[in-house]
Amino acid sequence: MGGLLKNIGALPFLIAVFLNTLVDLGHKIVIQNTIFKVYDGSEQVFLTAIVNGLILLPFILMFSTAGFVADKYPKSSVMRLAAWFAVFLTIGITISYASGWFWVAFAMTFLLAVQSAIYSPAKYGYIKSLFGKQHLAEANGLVQAISIIGILAGTVIFSVLFEMWYPQEGADKSEILATLVPVGFILIASSVIELIMMYRIPQLEKQNEDHQFDWKAYRTGKLALNNLKPVFGNKTILLSIIGLMVFWSIAQVLLAAFPAFVKSQTGETNTIIIQAILGASGIGIALGSFIAARSSKNYIETGLVPVGAAGVAIGLFVLPTLNNHLLMGLDFLFIGVMGGMFIVPLNALIQYHAGENSLGRVLAANNFIQNIGMLFFLVVAVAFAVAGISSANLLLLIAFVAVSGFAYTVYHLPQSLVKFILSYLMNLKYKVNVEGMKNIPATGGVLLLGNHISWIDWAIVQLASPRRVRFVMLKSIYERWYLSWFFKLFGSIPIEAGPSSTKALEKVAELLNEGAVVCLFPEGTISRNGHLSVFKHGYRKAANLANDDVVIVPFYLRGLWGSQFSRSSAKLKSSTRNSQRRQLMVSFGQTLPISTETELLKRRIFDLSINSWEGYKQSLPSLADAWIDSAKRVGSELAIADTSVRPLSATDALYQSIILSRQVSVISDEQNIGILLPSSRRATLINMAGLLSGKTLVNLNYSSKTQTLAETIEQSEIKTIYTSAEFLNKLKGSGVDVSDVLAHLEIVDVDEMLSKTKQLSKVVTWALVKFLPAKLLKALYSKNHDGQLAAAILFTNDNKGDSQGVVLSHQNILINLKQVAEVLNAEGNDVVMASLPLYQAYGLT
C-alpha cells in the first residue's frame, strides 16, 4: 500500500477520513453510553435503535440530492462543504453538552448524519479519481482500514473519557452531559483539523455544467427513480449493494442488541468493556480489509465475497452461545475479519462498474438502499424490544439472515466461490500481478485476445479480470466428464477445428453483442517456444459478426513459460523452480476497435510484452543474490569448466568466489575495479567476487590500443587491476605490452589470492556454503541487494574512435539472462560455450 500514499493528496485525504469518522463516532458513543447508563432492557434497545435510525434517515431522505451534488460539483469541494458543516455542528453539540440538553444532543445525531450523507458519496467517488481504477480494491481496503482505525480510536478514547468523567451511579441525563464538555472541545478540534486537511487535497474534477437539478422530478419522486436506474441496470452493482446492505444491516442490529444481551447474559455495566468487545469487530474489519487489499493488488479479488459471507454467518451463529467476554471479543474479531474480506471487493466492484458521470448517483443509491435495509432491520429490533423478545433471539435471527445472504451470493455468483478456490491454489505457487486493469471497460462487449503460454492461462486471466470472462476452448477438453461441469459453470464455449467452428464463433459474437467478456487465444494452441507464433484468423469471423460498439482488449501473459503447465523443456522447468512464488504478469492494453486487423493486434500484444518485461525487471534482485540462489539450486552439479584446470561444481564456484570477495573488499576501497582476463574459470570467479563485494566491474579490452586502454582506466577511475601473471606474460609474448599502462596501478594476481587463503578458512567457507540456506548466505556474503545499482561498465568506440562507457545495472544484465534462458529453452544435456571476451556485452552475458 506504500505506493498509494505517494499520490498527491492521499495523506491529507486519509487524515480527513480518519477525523470525520472520529467526529461522527464520538458524539454517537456519548449518546449511546448515556442511554446504556440510564435505561435498561427493552427501553434501552428501543432508544439505541432510534439513535441508529436517526443516523440512517438522512441517507434515505437525501438520496437524490446527495447523488446530484456528488456528480455535479467537484468532489473535493463537496467534502470541504461537509467539513465546514461539521465544524458548526460540533460547536452546537458542545453547547448542548454544557447546557445539559440531552434531547437536543440526541437530535444532533440526525444533523451529523445529514453531513455524512453529503460527504459519503463524494468521499467514495474521490477514491476513484485520486487512486485510479487499477488500484480501486487496494485503495478501498486502505480507506476502509483508516475508517475502522478511526472507529477503534474513537471507541477507546470516548468510552474511556465517558467512564472517567461519568459523575456517579444514578446520575440523570443532564448531569452526565454536563461533565462531557471536554469531549465537545475534542470534537471541535477534530472537525477544524479535518477542514484544514480538506483544503490540502487536489481538486481532480471540474464542475459538470450540463448536470441540472430537476425540482419537479424531485418532488414527484421521478428523480429518485432515475437515480436508481444505473443500479438496477447493472446486475453486478445491484448484487454488490445488496451484499453490503445485508452486512451493514446485521451490524446495526448487533450495535442495538448486543449491549443489552451482554448486560442480561453477564451482568456487565461498564461501557468500556462493552465498547471494547464491539471494537474487536472493528479491528477485525481493518484486518479483513488489509487482507482483501493485499489479495487484490492491481485487480479485484471477487472470490473473497462468498468466503467472507460464510465466515460472518458462522460467527453470528456462535455468538448467542457465549457468556465469556474474551470469547465474545474473539468472535467479534472473527466476524470483523470476514466482514472486511466481504465488503472491500464489493465496494471496489461498485466503483469500477459505475460510469464516470453517474458515480455519485450510484454511490448515493448505494447509501440509500443500504440505509433502507438497515432501517428495516432496526424496526425489527424495535419490534422485538416492544414484544419483549430477548436480545439473544434477535441475534439468532440475524445469524439466519447471514446464512441466507451467503446462499444468495453463492447462487447468483457461483463462479466467485470457484474463483476464490482457484486464487488460493494459484497463490501457493504464483503471485499474480496485473497491469492495465483500467483498460477493461466496465460494461459492454469485450473480446480479450492474447498469447497462449500454458494450460492455466484461462485461470490467470479470470483472476486478473474484474468481470466474468467466457473462454473459448477445445471441445475435446470441454467434454471430458470430470471437467465439463466446471467449464459449464464458467460459461466456457467449446470449439473444434474446421468448418464446425463457425457455430461456436457465432455464439461468441452473440455473447459479445449481449455485453459479455469473451477470451480467445488467436494462436490457437499453446506455445512451444514461449514466443508469439502465427495468429490464426478464426477470431475475425466472430469479430465481423459483432456490433461496432464491441471492443478488443489485447493482453500479454508473462511468467508462465518455464512453469509445470507450459511446454518448456524439463531443464528450464527445474532451473526456474524454487521455494519462492513465481511472479506472473497479466498486462491489459488499451482498447482497439473490433475491426482491428491481425497484424496490428499482434504488434500491440508484442508492445505489451516489452512493457511487461520492463516491469518484471524492476523486481529482480542483484546479480550476487541471484548467483547465490542459482549456485545453491545447482549444488554439486557442474557449473564452470575450461581447458586449463579441473571443472568446478556450483558449490565450489560459490565458495571460491566468496573467498575472493573478502579479499577484494580489503584490497579495493574504490567502487570500480578493473579485470584484465580472458574468458576462463578465474575470470568468472573474480567477476562474481567483485559483485559479491558490491563493486562495479570493468572488464578491460586487452586487444585495444594501449592509449585506448589507458583512457578506459582513467575514465573508470580504476585503482586496482585483477589479472594473472600468466596472462600478462602471454600478452607480452603476443606483442601486447601493457606494463606502462599498469605501472601506476595496484596489480593483483587472482591465482595468488586463492593460494594465500588459509586452509581452515577454505574448509569453513565451503561447509557454510554447502549447508546454510541461500537466504543466510546472501545476508552473510552479498554486499549489495539493490538490483538497480551499477553492476558493470562496458566500453565501446564511437565513430571517431573515442571510448564511450555504458553502465549496466544488475537488473539490465539479469533480465538479459532471463530472456536468453527462455529463448534457448535448454535441455538437461546442453552446454553453453562462453567463447567471447568479457569486455563485450555478449561475452559478459
Side-chain angles (χ1 to χ4, degrees):
M1 291 187 184
L4 297 180
L5 297 178
K6 294 178 182 177
N7 285 20
I8 296 175
L11 195 57
F13 173 66
L14 294 174
I15 292 172
V17 168
F18 172 82
L19 292 171
N20 184 267
T21 305
L22 205 66
V23 170
D24 285 350
L25 189 73
H27 178 58
K28 181 182 175 183
I29 283 180
V30 166
I31 298 300
Q32 286 187 336
N33 285 355
T34 302
I35 292 170
F36 183 80
K37 291 289 189 181
V38 176
Y39 299 95
D40 291 306
S42 298
E43 201 173 14
Q44 178 189 327
V45 174
F46 177 80
L47 286 173
T48 303
I50 293 298
V51 170
N52 290 333
L54 286 175
I55 293 170
L56 301 177
L57 202 56
F59 288 92
I60 298 169
L61 298 176
M62 299 182 63
F63 155 55
S64 298
T65 49
F68 168 81
V69 169
D71 279 339
K72 180 173 178 64
Y73 300 103
K75 294 172 181 60
S76 54
S77 300
V78 176
M79 289 189 289
R80 288 168 188 168
L81 175 66
W84 275 109
F85 192 18
V87 171
F88 291 116
L89 278 177
T90 50
I91 293 171
I93 287 169
T94 305
I95 293 171
S96 66
Y97 288 174
S99 305
W101 298 336
F102 174 77
W103 294 111
V104 173
F106 190 96
M108 284 285 189
T109 57
F110 175 81
L111 294 178
L112 268 178
V114 170
Q115 181 261 354
S116 292
I118 298 169
Y119 175 80
S120 183
K123 175 182 75 174
Y124 281 103
Y126 192 72
I127 291 173
K128 188 174 182 179
S129 301
L130 183 61
F131 298 107
K133 265 188 177 184
Q134 188 155 334
H135 300 289
L136 268 178
E138 199 178 358
N140 270 280
L142 181 60
V143 171
Q144 192 72 55
I146 293 294
S147 299
I148 295 302
I149 291 169
I151 291 172
L152 293 174
T155 300
V156 173
I157 293 168
F158 293 112
S159 294
V160 169
L161 292 178
F162 183 91
E163 286 292 337
M164 188 192 313
W165 291 325
Y166 179 67
Q168 60 187 6
E169 289 296 329
D172 64 21
K173 300 185 289 291
S174 298
E175 290 172 337
I176 293 171
L177 283 188
T179 62
L180 298 175
V181 173
V183 171
F185 291 136
I186 294 172
L187 296 178
I188 292 172
S190 298
S191 62
V192 169
I193 297 171
E194 178 195 353
L195 179 63
I196 294 169
M197 290 298 106
M198 282 303 175
Y199 279 91
R200 298 286 299 275
I201 65 174
Q203 186 165 304
L204 302 174
E205 313 96 349
K206 295 180 180 178
Q207 184 170 320
N208 187 351
E209 300 293 347
D210 297 331
H211 201 44
Q212 301 298 323
F213 193 77
D214 190 337
W215 286 102
K216 183 178 179 181
Y218 174 72
R219 289 193 301 272
T220 59
K222 288 183 179 179
L223 184 59
L225 292 175
N226 288 335
N227 286 349
L228 287 171
K229 282 182 180 178
V231 171
F232 287 96
N234 188 303
K235 184 180 178 182
T236 303
I237 292 177
L238 181 60
L239 286 173
S240 300
I241 289 176
I242 290 172
L244 290 170
M245 178 198 72
V246 172
F247 176 79
W248 290 117
S249 297
I250 288 170
Q252 284 296 321
V253 177
L254 276 176
L255 289 173
F258 183 73
F261 169 74
V262 176
K263 203 171 186 179
S264 63
Q265 192 90 340
T266 67
E268 184 59 63
T269 59
N270 190 317
T271 58
I272 294 177
I273 293 175
I274 305 295
Q275 295 295 349
I277 295 172
L278 289 171
S281 64
I283 296 173
I285 291 177
L287 290 173
S289 300
F290 179 76
I291 292 168
R294 291 277 297 188
S295 303
S296 305
K297 193 171 183 178
N298 294 334
Y299 66 103
I300 302 172
E301 180 50 89
T302 56
L304 294 174
V305 174
V307 175
V312 170
I314 292 169
L316 288 171
F317 263 112
V318 171
L319 186 59
T321 67
L322 304 176
N323 55 16
N324 177 279
H325 291 157
L326 177 61
L327 292 178
M328 287 177 179
L330 290 174
D331 191 45
F332 267 94
L333 179 69
F334 175 76
I335 292 170
V337 170
M338 294 295 107
M341 291 166 58
F342 179 76
I343 62 178
V344 166
L346 291 182
N347 276 320
L349 282 173
I350 291 169
Q351 293 161 40
Y352 176 82
H353 286 277
E356 295 294 337
N357 294 325
S358 61
L359 180 58
R361 282 176 292 157
V362 168
L363 293 173
N366 177 30
N367 285 334
F368 175 74
I369 294 171
Q370 282 185 45
N371 286 284
I372 288 285
M374 288 189 281
L375 194 61
F376 172 78
F377 274 71
L378 285 174
V379 170
V380 172
V382 170
F384 269 54
V386 171
I389 300 172
S390 71
S391 52
N393 287 327
L394 182 56
L395 293 177
L396 195 60
L397 173 66
I398 63 172
F400 278 106
V401 170
V403 170
S404 302
F406 169 68
Y408 183 84
T409 302
V410 173
Y411 176 76
H412 282 279
L413 295 170
Q415 68 276 8
S416 290
L417 188 57
V418 177
K419 186 176 176 181
F420 175 78
I421 296 169
L422 277 175
S423 178
Y424 174 76
L425 294 174
M426 290 295 129
N427 280 324
L428 292 176
K429 293 296 291 181
Y430 306 108
K431 172 60 179 172
V432 180
N433 299 293
V434 183
E435 282 185 345
M437 189 194 78
K438 63 183 180 182
N439 293 325
I440 302 177
T443 57
V446 176
L447 183 58
L448 290 174
L449 299 171
N451 60 323
H452 201 2
I453 292 295
S454 75
W455 300 104
I456 59 170
D457 291 349
W458 63 273
I460 303 303
V461 172
Q462 181 60 81
L463 289 177
S465 171
R467 296 176 62 182
R468 181 188 180 188
V469 181
R470 313 283 291 271
F471 291 88
V472 179
M473 61 186 309
L474 288 174
K475 191 174 183 180
S476 58
I477 298 175
Y478 178 89
E479 291 182 340
R480 293 177 183 177
W481 66 269
Y482 52 89
L483 292 174
S484 59
W485 66 271
F486 182 78
F487 294 131
K488 286 177 182 176
L489 181 64
F490 273 89
S492 300
I493 306 156
I495 192 171
E496 55 185 343
S500 57
S501 65
T502 301
K503 188 175 180 180
L505 293 170
E506 288 174 352
K507 176 65 175 175
V508 169
E510 181 184 336
L511 289 169
L512 290 172
N513 292 335
E514 291 173 357
V517 179
V518 181
C519 180
L520 261 168
F521 297 103
E523 294 163 286
T525 185
I526 296 174
S527 175
R528 294 186 179 275
N529 56 19
H531 304 290
L532 289 174
S533 60
V534 176
F535 278 21
K536 297 179 180 178
H537 296 278
Y539 80 91
R540 292 294 317 144
K541 295 178 183 178
N544 291 335
L545 295 171
N547 297 333
D548 290 341
D549 58 349
V550 174
V551 296
I552 292 173
V553 173
F555 68 88
Y556 180 78
L557 293 169
R558 193 212 57 75
L560 282 166
W561 182 249
S563 73
Q564 301 305 304
F565 300 99
S566 68
R567 284 175 167 163
S568 60
S569 68
K571 178 64 178 176
L572 184 60
K573 289 177 181 177
S574 65
S575 65
T576 56
R577 188 188 301 123
N578 55 47
S579 58
Q580 296 179 336
R581 289 189 297 168
R582 178 185 286 271
Q583 296 289 318
L584 307 184
M585 176 64 76
V586 187
S587 297
F588 295 106
Q590 294 184 348
T591 58
L592 300 171
I594 193 65
S595 58
T596 301
E597 294 299 328
T598 306
E599 280 193 18
L600 178 59
L601 170 68
K602 188 172 182 180
R603 200 179 314 143
R604 291 291 174 264
I605 294 175
F606 183 76
D607 292 342
L608 288 173
S609 74
I610 296 173
N611 294 335
S612 176
W613 276 98
E614 181 62 30
Y616 173 57
K617 186 183 78 172
Q618 304 305 319
S619 68
L620 293 176
S622 67
L623 284 164
D625 286 352
W627 160 236
I628 292 172
D629 283 329
S630 297
K632 286 295 292 181
R633 185 179 65 250
V634 176
S636 59
E637 294 181 35
L638 173 65
I640 307 170
D642 65 15
T643 58
S644 60
V645 288
R646 68 176 181 86
L648 285 179
S649 68
T651 300
D652 288 338
L654 177 56
Y655 110 80
Q656 290 190 24
S657 63
I658 288 172
I659 288 172
L660 290 173
S661 72
R662 292 172 180 163
Q663 297 184 51
V664 170
S665 298
V666 173
I667 295 168
S668 303
D669 58 359
E670 71 273 23
Q671 178 59 35
N672 301 339
I673 60 171
I675 299 172
L676 190 65
L677 287 168
S679 296
S680 60
R681 189 183 77 164
R682 62 165 70 97
T684 304
L685 292 176
I686 194 61
N687 269 270
M688 299 316 300
L691 293 170
L692 284 167
S693 59
K695 304 299 182 182
T696 302
L697 311 174
V698 184
N699 283 280
L700 299 168
N701 185 351
Y702 44 81
S703 67
S704 63
K705 296 177 181 178
T706 53
Q707 182 182 350
T708 304
L709 183 61
E711 290 174 356
T712 300
I713 293 170
E714 184 180 356
Q715 288 181 41
S716 304
E717 299 179 348
I718 293 171
K719 299 177 183 176
T720 311
I721 301 289
Y722 293 86
T723 183
S724 75
E726 179 186 354
F727 180 62
L728 291 178
N729 290 332
K730 283 185 177 181
L731 282 179
K732 194 170 184 179
S734 62
V736 180
D737 188 356
V738 294
S739 55
D740 290 341
V741 176
L742 306 181
H744 64 289
L745 302 170
E746 183 174 359
I747 308 301
V748 181
D749 193 310
V750 176
D751 295 327
E752 290 182 3
M753 291 171 71
L754 285 171
S755 63
K756 286 179 180 178
T757 305
K758 293 180 180 179
Q759 191 63 30
L760 179 61
S761 177
K762 290 182 180 180
V763 171
V764 171
T765 304
W766 183 90
L768 291 175
V769 169
K770 180 70 175 177
F771 298 110
L772 286 183
K775 189 172 184 179
L776 278 178
L777 290 175
K778 284 185 278 189
L780 287 171
Y781 299 121
S782 178
K783 303 302 182 187
N784 170 41
H785 307 290
D786 186 353
Q788 295 183 342
L789 296 179
I793 302 174
L794 295 179
F795 281 86
T796 59
N797 292 328
D798 59 18
N799 295 331
K800 298 178 181 178
D802 297 328
S803 293
Q804 298 289 330
V806 178
V807 179
L808 298 177
S809 70
H810 291 257
Q811 291 174 345
N812 289 143
I813 298 172
L814 198 51
I815 199 70
N816 283 344
L817 295 174
K818 297 281 187 183
Q819 290 171 331
V820 167
E822 293 200 1
V823 169
L824 293 178
N825 194 26
E827 297 292 349
N829 56 354
D830 288 341
V831 176
V832 177
M833 299 295 292
S835 58
L836 293 172
L838 295 172
Y839 55 77
Q840 291 184 359
Y842 286 120
L844 184 63
T845 301

